[in-house]
Amino acid sequence: MTAPTRRVLLQLDCDPQPSAFDAIVAVDAGVDVLLPYGGVSPQTVLPLVHGAMFTRGGAALSQTAIFVGGSNVEMAEAVCAEVTQAFFGPVRVSVMLDPAGANTTASAAVLAAARHLPLFDQEQAARCRALVLGGTGPVGQRVARLLGRLGVAVDVASRKLQRAEEVCAGVMEKVPHARLAPVANASTAFHTALESSDLVVSCGAAGVVLLDAAGRKRAGKARVLIDLNAVPPAGIEGIGSGDKAKPEGPAVVYGALGVGGTKMKIHRAGIEKLFGAKSVVLDAEELLALGESLTAPPT
Amino acid sequence: MTAPTRRVLLQLDCDPQPSAFDAIVAVDAGVDVLLPYGGVSPQTVLPLVHGAMFTRGGAALSQTAIFVGGSNVEMAEAVCAEVTQAFFGPVRVSVMLDPAGANTTASAAVLAAARHLPLFDQEQAARCRALVLGGTGPVGQRVARLLGRLGVAVDVASRKLQRAEEVCAGVMEKVPHARLAPVANASTAFHTALESSDLVVSCGAAGVVLLDAAGRKRAGKARVLIDLNAVPPAGIEGIGSGDKAKPEGPAVVYGALGVGGTKMKIHRAGIEKLFGAKSVVLDAEELLALGESLTAPPT
Amino acid sequence: MTAPTRRVLLQLDCDPQPSAFDAIVAVDAGVDVLLPYGGVSPQTVLPLVHGAMFTRGGAALSQTAIFVGGSNVEMAEAVCAEVTQAFFGPVRVSVMLDPAGANTTASAAVLAAARHLPLFDQEQAARCRALVLGGTGPVGQRVARLLGRLGVAVDVASRKLQRAEEVCAGVMEKVPHARLAPVANASTAFHTALESSDLVVSCGAAGVVLLDAAGRKRAGKARVLIDLNAVPPAGIEGIGSGDKAKPEGPAVVYGALGVGGTKMKIHRAGIEKLFGAKSVVLDAEELLALGESLTAPPT
């Protein structure tokens, strides 16, 4: 009498217009029916969550899922918290959080670095040091959190030391064993970090140069440099947005598009995973693990 | 050259966010393409209706339909009136009205009662008496209207007598033969109604106790008690939301979830019926009749 | 691992509610996934366009397209300009512009006229003269532009001469060889135009009579009269909205519905064409050419 259960995804977006990017990725990941909602806030999300929870029973419920996005990362996190708090017992659906693509982008960047550095070996990772430029933005915070959780010593750089301190404190509240240190751009501590880092990831705003050619020369120990800025000029001078494991002296470099393929794979795989038998919540860590399971060893 | 005609449902919702609940039920009832519109009002609905009326011809037009919902029941009714007034001749589509689920919930409650009381026998129904607690809310008004139309004598209870009087007058304008009487909560008339009712239906706001244990003892003649409140505390003390035809002394009791399965069946069947060869308008009465045709005899 | 590429159409509408008409036509033209966005403006459209551009690569990108609509034609044109300017290299998708149905309606009207007048023969078209009543509205402007491009001498009539002058100047900026002349309603020039036109097209607002019976008598040379107003009274007195190539003396007449079938065919064919291998931008001229390729010779 009724049609076979179709995969329904509620796209809860904090921006007035729900993201077309997230919508099309969801469609390509096999969602049958996309229900996009814009202007979602923690205050207004509950009836939408209830609609997901109370319409299907049993196994059919696993064919309903929720994606939380939007350019305001803090608000999206608050929406996501409201969503998961509404669940009880078996009355729950899977949720993926990827505001502004921050979680999938950060995961892809860490995976790119891990092709060249032993980040997934706990003991060896503890001997690695990373510098995150623009470390207080949405993507930078997540790169720092993911690296910190793996055991890497992370310097979180920002124009404002206080903002970097807040981000480090915030991450270490979630990940107590993380070793994060705040550094102000161009400070002595910054230059020390630059000279001793195995990995430099630039996560700044579009069109802002965070490391010029002179700075790059000081990063002599770095084996991997990643610039996640897609709009010229590059955040790290000399990296092209299409660079992908491009050798430059003793290091390899990645640009935004060079990481983009992996980001898209993680995004799609995340959406697919939402419709599994067991409900999941996919935040940065889960998406990194998912990405790790997807990516082939370096070629 | 063109694709086969798909079932298109316009979801016209008076709330800013169109209901995810109504959307998913529509999907599960076989709608191919759902077009959800939020913030719909009587003033803005006409172009949407014209879009439904003027895009398909002949038999294909029967594969377009309209659902009107939202938490503001009065506004939804006004939208529905605008929708049906826009039609002319054969240029019309089917419409279902179910704001806040009031029509499907009320229908399900009446059907539950009818398993134990002869409500669908005109002569016997005329000898039944029912008390509707919280009778002035969206669901309560529809329960009163449906029972009144069946010939049952209905006492419509409310905290405010004037509001109950208005509701009774409103229902009797639509259903002149209905026998409805307004009663103020805790009045002498209320207690008389309580003692002489065969059926008590509680339709109050979430978390408000409308009949406590002492009150229930006075309802000694009642054979069926139904509490449509899903959020504790129960509207009728002692009824669990999952109770379904649960015997308690000489009576059987139903909670919100005990009625919910039938409500969902009616909702889905209503959506399916919209795409029949003949255009229909499904308001409370039509949905009750549809539910009657669906439900098996009590087991 | 991923589903086969489905046809995704972004419906970018400048009105608060995206048009249900455009949505259903898109569905019937084979769009698999419609993503409707309301309240789109030139200022807010870019992220939506980027979502279309950056989610699919290679051949799959041709299965994403954009439709721009809404009742505010100027704003829709500005949105369309923003959309096409965002594209670069092969990173582009097809776009169709049809605000308020103006492009498809104007194309259908010109095609109707061309069944009886040699409008597609450059030499003969140059000897034709047309009067466009209500020539400054969305549809009227496009009728004037399409006829002007074909070489027809066009008189653009309006209540306000200045507005007609602006429209003529605007069209001739786009189509330098167009021969357009502004005329004020009821002026001497208007009557001269009326008496010497082979074609009269009425494109005024709903319910406004632009040519009464006495006026029609003066249009003695006209072989085709088309009234695009669907709401009584007719814009040209005596034309029924269902008239389709109906002979009246030496002329044939068309009403809005008589032209509507062709309009719908063009609209659907336009949407289908968006998903071809080569990206296209479909404005009035392209839609007229598409319509010409679709329509059979008069029967």
Side-chain angles (χ1 to χ4, degrees), chain A residues 230-285:
Chain A
V231 181
I236 299 179
E237 195 173 340
I239 297 188
S241 66
D243 289 351
K244 187 174 178 180
K246 184 183 171 192
E248 293 204 352
V252 295
V253 304
Y254 285 84
L257 298 182
V259 167
T262 302
K263 179 222 175 318
M264 287 296 279
K265 272 187 201 161
I266 298 173
H267 193 151
R268 284 203 193 103
I271 299 290
E272 288 173 10
K273 200 175 169 69
L274 296 177
F275 299 97
K278 194 175 172 306
S279 77
V280 292
V281 177
L282 304 182
D283 200 338
E285 285 77 7

Side-chain angles (χ1 to χ4, degrees), chain A residues 11 17-34 36 264-265 268-269 272 294, chain C residues 1-6 8 10 33 35-40 44 47-52 54-56 64:
Chain A
Q11 182 192 359
Q17 295 285 22
S19 160
F21 186 100
D22 293 339
I24 296 174
V25 175
V27 166
D28 286 345
V31 167
D32 294 310
V33 177
L34 182 75
M264 287 296 279
K265 272 187 201 161
R268 284 203 193 103
E272 288 173 10
L294 290 175
Chain C
M1 187 162 150
T2 53
T5 307
R6 283 180 281 175
V8 171
L10 271 66
V33 178
L35 298 174
Y37 298 90
V40 176
T44 61
L48 297 172
V49 184
H50 285 165
F54 297 131
T55 36
R56 291 170 161 186
T64 303

Side-chain angles (χ1 to χ4, degrees), chain B residues 27-115:
Chain B
V27 166
D28 286 344
V31 167
D32 292 310
V33 178
L34 182 75
L35 298 174
Y37 298 90
V40 175
S41 71
Q43 288 75 40
T44 61
V45 74
L46 207 57
L48 297 172
V49 184
H50 285 165
M53 292 164 66
F54 297 130
T55 36
R56 292 171 159 185
L61 187 57
S62 71
Q63 301 304 294
T64 304
I66 292 176
F67 177 92
V68 181
S71 59
N72 184 330
V73 177
E74 278 72 26
M75 187 180 281
E77 289 179 328
V79 164
C80 190
E82 286 290 322
V83 169
T84 53
Q85 278 160 29
F87 300 155
F88 56 87
V91 187
R92 59 184 65 240
V93 301
S94 289
V95 184
M96 175 167 163
L97 175 68
D98 195 26
N103 280 336
T104 46
T105 302
S107 297
V110 171
L111 283 169
R115 291 180 191 170

Side-chain angles (χ1 to χ4, degrees), chain C:
Chain C
M1 187 162 150
T2 53
T5 307
R6 283 180 281 175
R7 292 183 167 186
V8 171
L9 184 70
L10 271 66
Q11 181 192 0
L12 307 184
D13 200 303
C14 299
D15 294 343
Q17 295 285 20
S19 160
F21 186 100
D22 292 340
I24 296 175
V25 175
V27 166
D28 286 345
V31 167
D32 293 310
V33 178
L34 182 76
L35 298 174
Y37 298 90
V40 176
S41 72
Q43 289 74 40
T44 61
V45 75
L46 207 58
L48 297 172
V49 184
H50 285 165
M53 292 164 66
F54 297 131
T55 36
R56 291 170 161 186
L61 187 57
S62 71
Q63 300 304 294
T64 303
I66 291 176
F67 177 93
V68 181
S71 59
N72 183 332
V73 176
E74 279 72 27
M75 187 179 281
E77 288 180 329
V79 165
C80 191
E82 286 290 323
V83 168
T84 53
Q85 278 161 29
F87 300 154
F88 57 87
V91 187
R92 60 184 64 239
V93 301
S94 289
V95 184
M96 175 168 164
L97 175 68
D98 195 26
N103 281 336
T104 46
T105 302
S107 297
V110 171
L111 283 170
R115 291 181 190 169
H116 313 281
L117 294 167
L119 301 180
F120 293 123
D121 178 304
Q122 204 179 338
E123 208 172 308
Q124 294 190 71
R127 288 194 290 270
C128 286
R129 186 163 178 180
L131 172 62
V132 182
L133 306 172
T136 60
V139 177
Q141 287 188 39
R142 272 153 189 78
V143 169
R145 188 170 106 196
L146 291 173
L147 291 172
R149 197 181 287 273
L150 293 171
V152 175
V154 184
D155 294 289
V156 176
S158 174
R159 273 174 308 167
K160 297 182 181 174
L161 183 61
Q162 199 192 325
R163 185 78 187 105
E165 287 169 347
E166 289 166 7
V167 164
C168 289
V171 169
M172 287 191 285
E173 205 177 311
K174 283 199 173 183
V175 190
H177 73 266
R179 295 179 296 146
L180 267 59
V183 297
N185 286 354
S187 64
T188 308
F190 178 87
H191 287 117
T192 304
L194 192 57
E195 284 159 11
S196 50
S197 286
D198 306 285
L199 167 64
V200 179
V201 187
S202 178
C203 314
V208 177
V209 181
L210 289 170
L211 197 64
D212 60 14
R216 271 192 71 174
K217 281 192 187 149
R218 302 182 84 144
K221 196 166 169 253
R223 291 297 160 266
V224 185
L225 294 102
I226 300 173
D227 181 11
L228 296 174
N229 172 24
V231 180
I236 300 179
E237 194 174 341
I239 297 187
S241 65
D243 288 352
K244 188 174 178 180
K246 182 184 172 192
E248 292 203 353
V252 294
V253 303
Y254 286 83
L257 299 183
V259 168
T262 303
K263 179 222 175 317
M264 287 296 279
K265 273 187 200 162
I266 298 172
H267 193 152
R268 283 202 194 106
I271 299 290
E272 288 173 9
K273 200 175 170 68
L274 296 176
F275 299 97
K278 194 175 172 307
S279 77
V280 292
V281 177
L282 304 182
D283 200 338
E285 285 77 6
E286 294 80 10
L287 290 166
L288 175 61
L290 183 60
E292 200 190 343
S293 74
L294 290 175
T295 49
T299 49

Side-chain angles (χ1 to χ4, degrees), chain A residues 1-3 6 8 10 33 35 37-38 40 48 51-52 54-56 64, chain B residues 17-21 23-25 27-28 30-32 34 264 268 272 294:
Chain A
M1 186 163 148
T2 53
R6 284 180 281 176
V8 170
L10 272 65
V33 177
L35 298 174
Y37 298 89
V40 175
L48 298 172
F54 297 131
T55 36
R56 292 171 160 184
T64 303
Chain B
Q17 296 284 23
S19 160
F21 186 101
I24 296 175
V25 174
V27 166
D28 286 344
V31 167
D32 292 310
L34 182 75
M264 287 296 279
R268 283 204 193 103
E272 288 174 10
L294 292 174

